[in-house]
Amino acid sequence: MPADGAADRQTNSPSSPLPATPIPTANGNANGIGSLPMNSNFRLRLNPRQDHQPESYEDLQSEFTPLLFSSLERYLPPNLLNVTRDTKHRYMREVLRRYSTEGERNRVQKHREYRMRIISNYQPLYRDLYKLNATNFFTPSFIKAFMVGDHIRDESIKSIMSEPAPGIYTFNMLQPHFCEMLVAEVENFEKWILETKFRVMRPNTMNKFGAVLDDFGMDAMLEKLMEDFIRHISKIFFADVGGFALDSHHGFVVEYGFNRDVELGFHVDDSEVTLNVCLGKQFSGGELYFRGVRCDKHMNTEALPEEIFDYSHVPGHAIIHRGRHRHGARATTAGQRINLLLWCRRYIIPSTL
């Protein structure tokens, strides 16, 4: 599935433990488990323990994303909720390995090695971008909406949101200086690609230009963005497709204009929830057009009048919607447009677990 500047993402991305599901309009063993309870059969609860506070797995090396373990921890059997973190990690890792194929694990490992080759050779222009700093990244109104008590946070977040069409929300998010720095960092990365002739993977199957931010070291920053901010928005507006349980992401930028991509066809995204923020620069055109949500069987049906919505990008302003909300991008007719995309996903637990 794709996004503004999107299509099927690379299926070997370590941010996604399951292969991407194609959309028509777009294109183990038990070794090392250690001391676990004697009745361990490597199953998870059907319903999560919502009041359980999971641990952080950020410092552990694994073929699966740290946030995925934090999310899955709520599904552990009751007798495992209070054991050591290492025991919980090994148990969950074994569950995930049993429900992923050797081919998938090999692809993940190859992509991990690909990322390490980039990170060990590429010299960042602005290292401050690689760790989330809300004060320096976000507008004061965006920060203020989240920095309130739990009992009023939902209403506070709603107060900064506009809903110009059903299921589509817009808000002011990024400071101009952050946008400029991120654009410069991407341009520096593109320069490094040309100088070293390093073959990089583009964000998806539809865009020939753009960069996967996760691949050159921004994955931890973007995961923190999803965990601390986007999940709260999703809990309010997109509870039916992931809500607060979003636990993996694919972060990238797309580039439109002269000698870049020009437009993007009608599609849906490989995500539960998509965040799309314009970074600049000066441009004309490039509007997003939305045509409602459909199931796979009716993906190409006509839109109802109330589902038709066009959105003009403004640097620093964000638009957020369900990944399955059908949309496309019109031609950028002048200048250059660069957007930040964050596809947020929920790891779907097989019913047999």
Side-chain angles (χ1 to χ4, degrees):
M1 312 177 193
D4 165 44
D8 293 344
R9 75 172 137 175
Q10 302 288 345
T11 58
N12 55 359
S13 168
S15 295
S16 175
L18 293 180
T21 303
I23 288 297
T25 54
N27 284 350
N29 65 44
N31 292 338
I33 292 300
S35 56
L36 290 169
M38 294 299 292
N39 63 345
S40 293
N41 56 7
F42 301 107
R43 291 182 176 271
L44 300 174
R45 296 162 56 99
L46 181 61
N47 298 307
R49 179 76 177 267
Q50 296 290 1
D51 61 344
H52 175 72
Q53 184 62 39
E55 301 194 54
S56 171
Y57 297 85
E58 294 287 343
D59 58 319
L60 298 182
Q61 293 296 318
S62 176
E63 62 267 48
F64 305 103
T65 62
L67 191 55
L68 176 56
F69 288 108
S70 295
S71 180
L72 284 184
E73 187 175 319
R74 291 189 173 95
Y75 291 86
L76 287 174
N79 61 324
L80 285 176
L81 288 176
N82 296 313
V83 299
T84 66
R85 186 186 69 155
D86 184 56
T87 300
K88 287 185 285 192
H89 175 254
R90 283 178 285 154
Y91 184 96
M92 291 185 288
R93 185 180 61 190
E94 180 64 16
V95 170
L96 293 171
R97 284 176 174 175
R98 289 185 176 210
Y99 287 89
S100 62
T101 67
E102 183 177 358
E104 289 167 354
R105 293 195 298 274
N106 288 339
R107 285 193 295 272
V108 168
Q109 181 59 33
K110 287 180 180 179
H111 197 84
R112 182 189 300 274
E113 294 168 357
Y114 161 81
R115 283 188 174 181
M116 290 308 300
R117 288 198 302 273
I118 295 177
I119 293 171
S120 61
N121 289 283
Y122 172 66
Q123 295 299 315
L125 183 63
Y126 295 113
R127 292 192 178 276
D128 289 346
L129 292 174
Y130 291 74
K131 185 175 181 179
L132 187 70
N133 185 318
T135 303
N136 293 337
F137 288 11
F138 305 133
T139 60
S141 62
F142 184 79
I143 298 173
K144 184 179 178 181
F146 289 85
M147 300 299 107
V148 296
D150 292 344
H151 63 294
I152 60 172
R153 183 175 292 118
D154 288 2
E155 291 304 315
S156 180
I157 293 172
K158 289 178 183 178
S159 72
I160 65 168
M161 299 282 178
S162 297
E163 187 179 9
I168 299 171
Y169 303 89
T170 62
F171 53 98
N172 193 6
M173 182 179 183
L174 298 179
Q175 292 192 29
H177 184 56
F178 172 82
C179 294
E180 293 167 1
M181 290 176 65
L182 186 53
V183 168
E185 187 70 50
V186 171
E187 291 175 343
N188 187 59
F189 180 64
E190 295 280 3
K191 179 182 177 182
W192 176 80
I193 292 171
L194 290 174
E195 291 174 348
T196 61
K197 296 181 172 58
F198 192 96
R199 294 185 61 183
V200 297
M201 299 178 185
R202 294 303 177 180
N204 50 70
T205 58
M206 291 177 73
N207 285 91
K208 297 179 180 178
F209 297 90
V212 179
L213 301 178
D214 299 316
D215 286 347
F216 61 95
M218 292 193 182
D219 53 326
M221 182 272 285
L222 293 173
E223 190 165 282
K224 191 71 171 172
L225 167 61
M226 182 183 71
E227 182 177 4
D228 290 355
F229 297 94
I230 306 308
R231 291 205 298 179
H232 287 282
I233 297 174
S234 178
K235 182 188 71 171
I236 300 169
F237 300 113
F238 308 115
D240 58 318
V241 293
F244 198 70
L246 299 172
D247 52 32
S248 61
H249 76 270
H250 179 53
F252 56 97
V253 295
V254 290
E255 304 173 63
Y256 292 88
F258 181 69
N259 285 336
R260 291 293 185 267
D261 292 312
V262 176
E263 61 187 359
L264 190 71
F266 197 51
H267 65 274
V268 294
D269 297 340
D270 186 11
S271 68
E272 269 65 63
V273 175
T274 292
L275 173 74
N276 186 342
V277 195
C278 183
L279 302 175
K281 302 177 177 179
Q282 298 292 323
F283 59 90
S284 298
E287 298 88 356
L288 294 180
Y289 57 92
F290 290 87
R291 298 296 184 265
V293 180
R294 295 290 186 277
C295 65
D296 288 344
K297 290 183 179 181
H298 301 92
M299 194 61 64
N300 295 306
T301 58
E302 291 293 323
L304 301 174
E306 61 269 24
E307 295 177 319
I308 297 174
F309 172 65
D310 288 10
Y311 173 78
S312 297
H313 293 284
V314 177
H317 285 247
I319 183 167
I320 191 167
H321 56 86
R322 290 170 178 81
R324 294 188 61 82
H325 205 130
R326 302 178 302 171
H327 61 286
R330 294 197 171 91
T332 297
T333 56
Q336 185 179 13
R337 177 171 70 86
I338 303 176
N339 280 54
L340 164 66
L341 275 296
L342 190 67
W343 288 353
C344 303
R345 304 199 70 209
R346 178 185 181 186
Y347 182 76
I348 305 300
I349 301 174
S351 58
T352 53
L353 263 61

